[in-house]
Amino acid sequence: MRIDIITIFPDYFAPLGVSLIGKAAARGDITFGVHDLRDWAHDVHRTVDDTPFGGGPGMVMKPEPWGDALDAVRALGAVPEAAGGSGLLVIPTPAGVPFTQQHAARYAAEPWLIFACGRYEGIDGRVADDARSRMRVEEVSIGDYVLAGGEPAVLVMTEAICRLLPGVLGNAESAADDSFGFGRLESGGPMAGLVEGPSYTRPRLWRGREVPPILLSGDHAAIARWRRDSALRRTARNRPDLVARLAAGVPEPLDRRDREVLSEAGFPVDSEDVAH
Ligand code: 6GU
């Protein structure tokens, strides 16, 4: 996979050389191109922003440097047309569609991603419209809060995407068991639609606290059920929005025990809504 990033802060992406992503890049599983938007500025001061038409606070990123930068990066022809065609342009913005694990899985299957990091009050609106006439464009947000720029959002998304690439994660199964259970392209898995419960390791007794004994039982079916119960309880406590989806049978119908656990956690689930 190739990932190009256009930014006015190339140094922000030093962490891509570290940890899981750094190792994947060293192996050649991912190739990063980090480009300084100011290389495509049109004046001696390398100006990339200007005041907004119509008034208002802040600055807007000028269209000309962005148009030229995107043309140049697209022309790198990083991925031949035959191997997946033109790249997918991802524009991080708090006004975008919420980025989820499904996005991470879908992006991980793309051969070429281009991230356009905006700053200030965003990029002149014509840039995305113009890009859309040549390539696929998606605007995404990483949450309901405002960052000063798209750079940290791109680090977050890159990590979520790269750990799903074949060979990047040490244990391929750990992605399927993750919170949300959407680690693989096919949704589902034991934790589909849930957040995970807590995990435990040695020692068995620590500060007077025992590890839940069932985890030492060797009974794999009972352990799987216990883990699902524990995930349902934590989901009920921390993510009532997800419980509402689960109760509607999304992404998978609940079983009798699921409904019992949710009901004990204060979320009575109407059994009429559930497939048998
Ligand atoms: Cl993707 N960009 C910015 N600037 N702020 C954000 C965001 C993105 N997602 C949440 N807040």
Side-chain angles (χ1 to χ4, degrees):
M1 162 182 247
R2 181 175 175 97
I3 297 181
D4 285 287
I5 301 167
I6 307 170
T7 172
I8 55 168
F9 295 118
D11 292 347
Y12 206 99
F13 294 94
L16 295 179
V18 177
S19 187
L20 221 62
I21 299 177
K23 287 193 188 114
R27 273 199 310 273
D29 289 343
I30 317 171
T31 303
F32 288 105
V34 180
H35 312 276
D36 188 344
L37 178 69
R38 290 190 199 277
D39 292 349
W40 290 279
H42 288 215
D43 66 321
V44 66
H45 304 293
R46 309 225 292 165
T47 307
V48 292
D49 64 327
D50 202 343
T51 53
F53 275 126
M59 298 291 270
V60 176
M61 295 190 106
K62 295 163 64 60
E64 306 96 319
W66 272 113
D68 291 353
L70 288 168
D71 288 350
V73 168
R74 221 181 18 249
L76 292 174
V79 178
E81 213 60 37
S86 68
L88 171 63
L89 176 62
V90 179
I91 305 180
T93 162
V97 167
F99 178 82
T100 63
Q101 189 67 21
Q102 285 100 319
H103 285 83
R106 186 159 56 78
Y107 290 176
E110 292 280 343
W112 187 16
L113 298 173
I114 302 170
F115 288 103
C117 298
R119 284 256 142 189
Y120 318 113
E121 298 301 307
I123 303 170
D124 184 298
R126 292 167 292 182
V127 171
D129 292 340
D130 177 64
R132 253 185 223 107
S133 71
R134 301 170 229 283
M135 65 196 306
R136 293 169 299 145
V137 179
E138 298 191 9
E139 295 180 317
V140 292
S141 161
I142 61 161
D144 289 341
Y145 41 79
V146 180
L147 305 169
E151 284 81 4
V154 169
L155 284 181
V156 165
M157 289 188 274
T158 301
E159 172 119 348
I161 294 160
C162 290
R163 64 185 284 286
L164 299 180
L165 297 176
V168 172
L169 208 61
N171 174 3
E173 281 190 2
S174 66
D177 262 21
D178 279 340
S179 289
F180 309 114
F182 296 124
R184 295 176 183 169
L185 263 182
E186 65 277 28
S187 70
M191 298 301 170
L194 303 177
V195 299
E196 272 190 292
S199 304
Y200 302 90
T201 186
R202 282 179 283 264
R204 285 170 61 159
L205 179 66
W206 178 75
R207 296 193 177 180
R209 295 167 190 277
E210 292 272 11
V211 165
I214 188 125
L215 297 177
L216 312 173
S217 69
D219 181 342
H220 298 296
I223 290 170
R225 183 65 253 185
W226 183 89
R227 285 187 168 147
R228 183 161 169 91
D229 291 1
S230 150
L232 284 161
R233 287 192 198 96
R234 201 190 234 174
T235 305
R237 182 156 21 97
N238 293 346
R239 295 297 303 271
D241 57 316
L242 294 181
V243 177
R245 286 181 4 132
L246 291 168
V250 180
E252 268 151 35
L254 298 173
D255 68 18
R256 180 179 301 275
R257 173 66 185 159
D258 293 337
R259 282 180 266 129
E260 197 173 281
V261 172
L262 287 176
S263 155
E264 282 166 14
F267 286 87
V269 178
D270 185 355
S271 57
E272 303 287 308
D273 293 345
V274 181
H276 298 286

